[in-house]
Amino acid sequence: MLKVENLHVYYGGIHALRGVDVDIEQGQIVSIIGANGAGKSTLLNAITGMIQFKEGQILFKGQSLSQIPHKIVAAGISQVPEGRLIFANLTVKDNLMMGAYLRKDKSGVQKDLKKVYELFPRMAERIDQIAGTLSGGEQQMLAIGRGLMSSPELILLDEPSLGLAPLLVKTIFEIIKDIKNMNKTILLVEQNAYKALSIADKAYVLEQGRIVKAGTGNELIKDPSIREAYLGKN
Ligand code: ATP
């Protein structure tokens, strides 16, 4: 569904991605793990056109992806950015509707809104609450819900568990599985390597702008070098 080939991204003189290849099949959860500064967010931002790449290509369903963000959303890709970036002064419902701003199919939008409320009952209870007053975990749920409102085929999640209490981390990962069962494809970037590998059909390890390992989530969990470097086990 999505093929990233030989991707190179620079920030001025910093060579942040150095020939990255990633292949995502429809219906999969694909996780990217890596240390701080490895280039994980850069990869997601390059896919969604938030930053430009210098070399390589990104193919979505066999077609070269435009580098223009709203065209990428229209093509069926949605990003839930790190740090949530919700609209703090708008209500929960208005935030969700912002996710659907490109859509003209009003009945489809209403259906998806209903699905988001089913997925996140807490959002349903707080439709009119100002988003800035939600707890951190609730804001994360809202950000994911908003990401779903564009009706994406592929959803990119950047550090969804960042800063959440353990119980909520568990809930968020359960929800990611539920989203997969809604027939979506998921690219997940996470520092919580164990959780990210546990739910991944396929996973990649990014180090200093390069993919250094790939395999199924299970294979990588069992890999001694991954255990030592990312899972704190040997
Ligand atoms: P983290 O887990 O800490 O979020 P990451 O793996 O997502 O890290 P990136 O944010 O993609 O890493 O950053 C990759 C490299 O590019 C880092 O060295 C970072 O300092 C650098 N970088 C990122 N954004 C910029 C920018 N706007 N200008 C200059 N350098 C940048």
Side-chain angles (χ1 to χ4, degrees):
M1 172 181 250
L2 187 86
K3 259 189 203 301
V4 174
E5 293 176 349
N6 189 33
L7 200 70
H8 288 264
V9 172
Y10 293 82
Y11 296 108
I14 298 170
H15 195 173
L17 293 184
R18 302 168 175 241
V20 167
D21 294 296
V22 167
D23 192 355
I24 302 173
E25 282 170 38
Q26 210 243 321
Q28 285 186 329
I29 297 180
V30 174
S31 294
I32 311 268
I33 62 166
N36 287 118
K40 304 180 298 296
S41 300
T42 301
L43 174 60
L44 296 194
N45 288 332
I47 293 170
T48 50
M50 301 307 285
I51 50 172
Q52 303 296 302
F53 53 86
K54 195 158 188 184
E55 207 186 314
Q57 64 173 355
I58 303 177
L59 299 173
F60 183 56
K61 297 193 280 185
Q63 303 257 335
S64 182
L65 202 57
S66 124
Q67 289 202 60
I68 304 164
H70 74 266
K71 290 200 173 163
I72 292 168
V73 176
I77 300 180
S78 162
Q79 182 175 15
V80 179
E82 184 178 346
R84 294 139 205 177
L85 301 178
I86 53 154
F87 300 100
N89 297 322
L90 297 185
T91 63
V92 164
K93 181 165 182 201
D94 288 346
N95 265 274
L96 291 173
M97 293 309 285
M98 291 296 278
Y101 79 106
L102 285 174
R103 295 177 65 182
K104 303 209 163 43
D105 58 323
K106 283 199 176 138
S107 67
V109 169
Q110 288 309 316
K111 255 191 212 156
D112 283 339
L113 195 58
K114 206 169 149 244
K115 274 194 222 158
V116 167
Y117 290 145
E118 280 166 18
L119 199 59
F120 300 107
R122 265 206 229 189
M123 294 300 103
E125 293 161 11
R126 290 172 162 74
I127 291 174
D128 295 320
Q129 190 169 331
I130 297 297
T133 65
L134 293 171
S135 74
E138 289 163 357
Q139 290 189 17
Q140 185 58 41
M141 293 177 193
L142 179 59
I144 297 173
R146 188 185 56 190
L148 288 168
M149 286 304 294
S150 62
S151 190
E153 291 176 61
L154 172 65
I155 181 156
L156 314 181
L157 298 174
D158 197 351
E159 304 274 8
S161 78
L162 195 71
L164 302 186
L167 200 60
L168 214 48
V169 172
K170 198 167 164 241
T171 307
I172 291 287
F173 277 89
E174 291 298 326
I175 285 166
I176 294 171
K177 281 194 251 172
D178 291 341
I179 293 172
K180 176 185 169 166
N181 291 334
M182 288 160 67
N183 210 13
K184 308 277 182 200
T185 306
I186 296 161
L187 177 59
L188 170 68
V189 156
E190 260 291 337
Q191 291 221 25
N192 189 331
Y194 183 75
K195 287 265 185 210
L197 294 178
S198 304
I199 63 165
D201 296 294
K202 189 171 173 185
Y204 294 89
V205 182
L206 192 60
E207 276 179 13
Q208 294 175 4
R210 288 193 178 88
I211 299 289
V212 294
K213 216 154 228 177
T216 66
N218 261 336
E219 282 165 359
L220 296 193
I221 280 183
K222 288 186 196 139
D223 184 307
S225 65
I226 305 284
R227 291 176 74 82
E228 194 177 347
Y230 295 100
L231 304 175
K233 295 173 184 167
N234 41 43

